[in-house]
Amino acid sequence: MKTYLKLHSRRLFILFYAALIFISCKKDDNSAQSSLTSINPAEAGYNDSIIITGKNFGSNPEVTINDKKLTVVKVDNNTLKVTIPKMLGSGPVSVSVGGKQYSGPNFSYKYKATVTTIAGSGEIGNVDGAGLSSSFNCPWGITVNNEGDLFVADSYNRLIRKISAGDRSVSSIQIPSIINGKNFYSPYNITLGNNQQDLYVTDFNNHILKIDAKKQSTVIYNGTMPTTGIVMGKDGFLYITNNTKGTVMKLSTDGKDSVILAQGLVTPRSILFDKNNTLYVAAYDISSASSGIYKIEKTGTVKAEIKSQNLGGWEVAIDSEGNFYNADHVTNCIKIIEKNGRIVKIAGNGQSKDVDGIGLSASFDGPTGITIDREGNLYVTTYNFETKTGNKVRKIVIE
């Protein structure tokens, strides 16, 4: 009897111990489930830190926003501290633990845009020389080469102005009155050839002008007015918008071969390629009664990418991340349109004057043309059609 009780007690002990192990294992399994509940702050800028709160992050989690990996500077089981990289953009936070992805709240990137004037005294004129002593008269289209030299279509002066990268000195490229028997009117928009030397210019009339490395001018196209935006494709062809016809034309650089690539746009102007050689056009969007950005397929199909009443003006640029920048002539500011569609005013307080500063402490007197260099710096021309003021070239460094 005693032996039986001992055996029975031993069995009960084994069963009890096994049950404890089972329960413990279940608790461990449950505790291993990770989660992501909050971020603080929800908006931050370059080099700032945010705290991510959740459960069971372990010792080696990975944090990403917009597919960009963030540096984790501190981790415990339930909180993470990460540093925000430059130009991160906005989007949901994602934490990877043990190969599993956990998505959390949306993060908003806070941009810092520093605005300075690099050329133009503000006076109407055509004075060359040191950047801030030079003068313009309705500078419009602007482009930049790989060396950082800027080229500006100085419309009412009927000049092309070069702003040297080194000392920001301004010089002029003359446009003859009659070019190979043809007129060329006020230069409007401008682009560089793939050789980084030839310039191609529209005149808001019916001409396309080529200026080669020796500053020799040739009218390569004489068609239907008005030609507006212009960009050089990687294929060596020019792509040109027509403001009235609502078309995109593909043109050979000698002007002999042309074809209508797309049509059906309303007052298209700025035209540009992204790093993947996708073509975009800024035009009017009837549905939102505002500016829109359209993607032009290789087949000529026009697809609306950005439609918003928060956009104004005619000119846009695009960076290597796929973000657009809008020179909003209507509200005197510069806006970024993130690749996810979020629109943020990054510079300009709406006042009609050219004042340097950071972000909304700066102001613009009619931003017109806009371009972006290889480092992601923006350059904006200004002209106020009501007061005839502006007449400057501004640089915007963004981080």
Side-chain angles (χ1 to χ4, degrees):
M1 185 66 177
K2 290 180 179 179
T3 303
Y4 172 79
L5 289 173
K6 285 181 180 180
L7 290 171
H8 184 67
S9 298
R10 187 176 295 172
R11 287 172 183 164
L12 288 174
F13 178 79
I14 292 170
L15 289 170
F16 178 74
Y17 185 73
L20 285 175
I21 293 174
F22 177 75
I23 292 169
S24 176
C25 287
K26 286 204 70 176
K27 284 183 178 178
D28 287 346
D29 287 342
N30 289 334
S31 65
Q33 295 298 312
S34 302
S35 64
L36 196 168
T37 56
S38 66
I39 57 173
N40 186 40
E43 183 180 43
Y46 175 46
N47 267 340
D48 290 342
S49 296
I50 64 171
I51 302 297
I52 301 171
T53 303
K55 289 184 178 180
N56 304 310
F57 289 138
S59 60
N60 192 30
E62 290 188 356
V63 179
T64 57
I65 298 175
N66 290 329
D67 298 321
K68 295 179 182 178
K69 188 175 178 180
L70 279 64
T71 301
V72 178
V73 295
K74 186 178 180 181
V75 57
D76 63 33
N77 200 41
N78 298 322
T79 60
L80 301 172
K81 183 178 181 180
V82 297
T83 302
I84 303 302
K86 186 177 180 180
M87 296 299 291
L88 174 63
S90 306
V93 177
S94 179
V95 177
S96 176
V97 180
K100 292 184 178 180
Q101 293 286 127
Y102 301 90
S103 292
N106 276 324
F107 168 80
S108 296
Y109 186 80
K110 186 186 295 183
Y111 296 91
K112 179 183 177 182
T114 303
V115 183
T116 56
T117 301
I118 62 170
S121 63
E123 299 293 325
I124 293 176
N126 56 8
V127 176
D128 288 337
L132 299 183
S133 299
S134 65
S135 57
F136 298 84
N137 192 2
C138 189
W140 198 290
I142 183 169
T143 192
V144 59
N145 65 17
N146 291 339
E147 303 301 318
D149 300 317
L150 295 163
F151 298 89
V152 179
D154 194 357
S155 294
Y156 294 170
N157 278 325
R158 204 172 170 276
L159 295 170
I160 302 301
R161 315 296 292 279
K162 178 181 177 180
I163 306 173
S164 297
D167 59 3
R168 295 303 184 195
S169 61
V170 177
S171 57
S172 296
I173 300 174
Q174 302 291 328
I175 299 174
S177 299
I178 302 295
I179 305 165
N180 54 295
K182 300 181 178 68
N183 292 316
F184 183 83
Y185 297 93
S186 297
Y188 177 67
N189 256 320
I190 186 168
T191 194
L192 277 157
N194 289 336
N195 62 3
Q196 292 288 296
Q197 295 183 3
D198 297 333
L199 293 167
Y200 297 89
V201 189
T202 62
D203 67 353
F204 209 79
N205 200 282
N206 57 353
H207 308 102
I208 307 296
L209 177 70
K210 176 182 178 180
I211 303 174
D212 64 21
K214 296 180 180 179
K215 300 182 181 180
Q216 298 297 311
S217 296
T218 307
V219 173
I220 63 170
Y221 178 79
N222 184 24
T224 303
M225 69 177 297
T227 58
T228 47
I230 186 168
V231 68
M232 172 66 77
K234 291 181 180 178
D235 58 3
F237 283 84
L238 294 165
Y239 293 78
I240 300 149
T241 55
N242 186 290
N243 192 67
T244 300
K245 285 194 166 186
T247 58
V248 176
M249 177 178 66
K250 182 178 179 180
L251 179 73
S252 60
T253 54
D254 59 8
K256 294 180 179 178
D257 299 312
S258 66
V259 62
I260 299 301
L261 178 64
Q263 51 192 344
L265 294 154
V266 180
T267 60
R269 296 207 184 183
S270 187
I271 184 169
L272 67 166
F273 284 97
D274 69 5
K275 67 176 183 180
N276 298 318
N277 207 36
T278 302
L279 185 63
Y280 295 93
V281 174
Y284 183 77
D285 176 62
I286 296 174
S287 63
S288 64
S290 187
S291 297
I293 298 174
Y294 295 84
K295 179 180 178 180
I296 311 299
E297 306 281 1
K298 292 181 179 179
T299 58
T301 301
V302 177
K303 178 184 176 184
E305 288 287 296
I306 305 293
K307 298 192 294 182
S308 173
Q309 292 180 337
N310 290 325
L311 299 180
W314 307 280
E315 305 298 336
V316 295
I318 191 169
D319 65 19
S320 60
E321 297 291 334
N323 303 304
F324 291 99
Y325 299 87
N326 172 224
D328 194 328
H329 190 87
V330 178
T331 61
N332 293 305
C333 66
I334 307 301
K335 296 172 180 174
I336 183 171
I337 305 102
E338 295 179 336
K339 56 186 177 182
N340 61 12
R342 175 178 177 247
I343 299 174
V344 183
K345 184 193 295 186
I346 59 172
N349 54 28
Q351 297 181 22
S352 299
K353 52 185 178 181
D354 283 323
V355 177
D356 293 347
I358 297 175
L360 304 188
S361 68
S363 58
F364 297 85
D365 198 5
T368 47
I370 187 170
T371 193
I372 190 167
D373 68 15
R374 301 175 78 179
E375 282 73 47
N377 302 309
L378 294 173
Y379 299 89
V380 176
T381 54
T382 65
Y383 184 74
N384 187 315
F385 289 92
E386 294 180 359
T387 61
K388 315 302 180 187
T389 53
N391 294 305
K392 293 185 178 182
V393 180
R394 321 287 296 285
K395 179 179 181 180
I396 307 173
V397 179
I398 310 172
E399 60 181 32

